């Protein structure tokens, strides 16, 4: 996916998306995130930095972002925060920055988890096998490869093989691109 800027990319998405630099500085955020900031609870922007309102959640956010930055680029980290009356779930991914280095992408949850209908749409659109589509939906829902392997009773190596095949068929160069593609499927169908 070619993008002119991170802001151009996040503006295309309806779910909350925040792009951070390595120091938690906000590079881009879409309107859905501005709505979360306006609630005044959960996440906030202070001096151009992303922070959580409660000290305990602030520490969790810092730990999750650090883990994502130091993990392999295809690893998924998750974080849950109460934003007003709603608990929001974020999938945190480390993405290569077109200008060099890495960026953190926080993808907020959709009102519901992606389900079987998305699996079927992925299979039709990208010609994924049932196992590949299932893997991509689970990754987009924020499950770790270890959790997916345990649920499906397969090895992580099997998942890696399915992951590589799915990425190739979807023509995605990173997990971030793939998750964005998976999350856009329901929007494209409407």
């Amino acid at each position: 996916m070619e993008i002119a800027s991170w802001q151009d990319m996040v503006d295309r998405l309806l779910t909350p998306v925040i792009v951070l630099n390595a120091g938690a500085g906000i590079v881009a955020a879409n309107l859905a995130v501005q709505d979360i900031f306006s609630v005044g609870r959960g996440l906030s922007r202070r001096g151009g930095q992303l922070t959580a309102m409660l000290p305990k959640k602030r520490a969790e956010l810092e730990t999750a972002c650090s883990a994502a930055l130091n993990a392999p680029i295809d690893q998924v980290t998750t974080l849950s925060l109460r934003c007003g009356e709603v608990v929001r779930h974020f999938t945190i991914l480390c993405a290569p920055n077109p200008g060099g280095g890495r960026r953190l992408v926080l993808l907020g949850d959709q009102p519901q988890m992606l389900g079987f209908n998305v699996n079927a749409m992925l299979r039709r659109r990208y010609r994924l096998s049932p196992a590949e589509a299932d893997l991509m939906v689970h990754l987009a829902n924020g499950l770790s490869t270890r959790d997916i392997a345990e649920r499906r009773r397969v090895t992580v190596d099997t998942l890696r093989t399915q992951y590589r095949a799915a990425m190739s068929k979807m023509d995605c160069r990173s997990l971030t691109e793939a998750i964005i593609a998976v999350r856009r499927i329901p929007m494209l169908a409407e």
Side-chain angles (χ1 to χ4, degrees):
M1 169 170 34
E2 299 265 338
I3 55 170
S5 72
W6 284 104
Q7 191 63 51
D8 289 344
M9 182 190 75
V10 302
D11 284 342
R12 297 179 194 168
L13 303 171
L14 300 175
T15 60
V17 181
I18 308 166
V19 179
L20 304 175
N21 62 24
I26 298 174
V27 174
N30 65 4
L31 289 175
V33 172
Q34 301 307 324
D35 291 341
I36 291 172
F37 289 162
S38 70
V39 170
R41 291 192 281 172
L43 291 175
S44 70
R45 175 192 300 236
R46 288 198 183 134
Q49 303 288 110
L50 179 68
T51 187
M53 301 298 281
L54 298 174
K56 179 181 175 185
K57 289 298 181 177
R58 192 173 308 129
E60 284 181 36
L61 176 64
E62 290 170 7
T63 300
C65 288
S66 177
L69 270 175
N70 295 314
I73 211 146
D74 63 349
Q75 181 126 2
V76 176
T77 305
T78 60
L79 176 71
S80 296
L81 295 163
R82 179 167 294 283
C83 299
E85 300 303 314
V86 179
V87 175
R88 304 300 302 245
H89 305 283
F90 289 88
T91 302
I92 305 172
L93 307 161
C94 187
N97 187 35
R102 290 180 164 195
R103 293 286 187 250
L104 288 174
V105 179
L106 284 76
L107 295 170
D109 59 348
Q110 292 186 327
Q112 59 189 12
M113 297 292 274
L114 299 173
F116 185 75
N117 60 338
V118 174
N119 187 313
M121 287 186 261
L122 281 171
R123 291 179 60 203
R124 280 193 303 273
R125 180 171 177 126
Y126 297 109
R127 299 183 192 272
L128 299 182
S129 72
E132 292 163 354
D134 184 64
L135 171 63
M136 298 313 289
V137 168
H138 283 317
L139 288 172
N141 279 333
L143 291 176
S144 71
T145 50
R146 187 179 325 129
D147 292 338
I148 298 166
E150 287 175 9
R151 280 183 177 200
R152 292 175 50 192
R153 294 189 176 120
V154 297
T155 67
V156 173
D157 288 333
T158 299
L159 292 182
R160 283 191 188 117
T161 301
Q162 293 169 351
Y163 171 78
R164 283 197 273 296
M167 294 291 284
S168 176
K169 291 175 184 177
M170 294 174 70
D171 195 29
C172 292
R173 292 183 296 275
S174 71
L175 180 60
T176 304
E177 282 183 39
I179 287 178
I180 289 169
V182 170
R183 288 201 170 270
R184 287 182 69 192
I185 287 283
M187 290 180 255
L188 295 173
E190 294 174 353

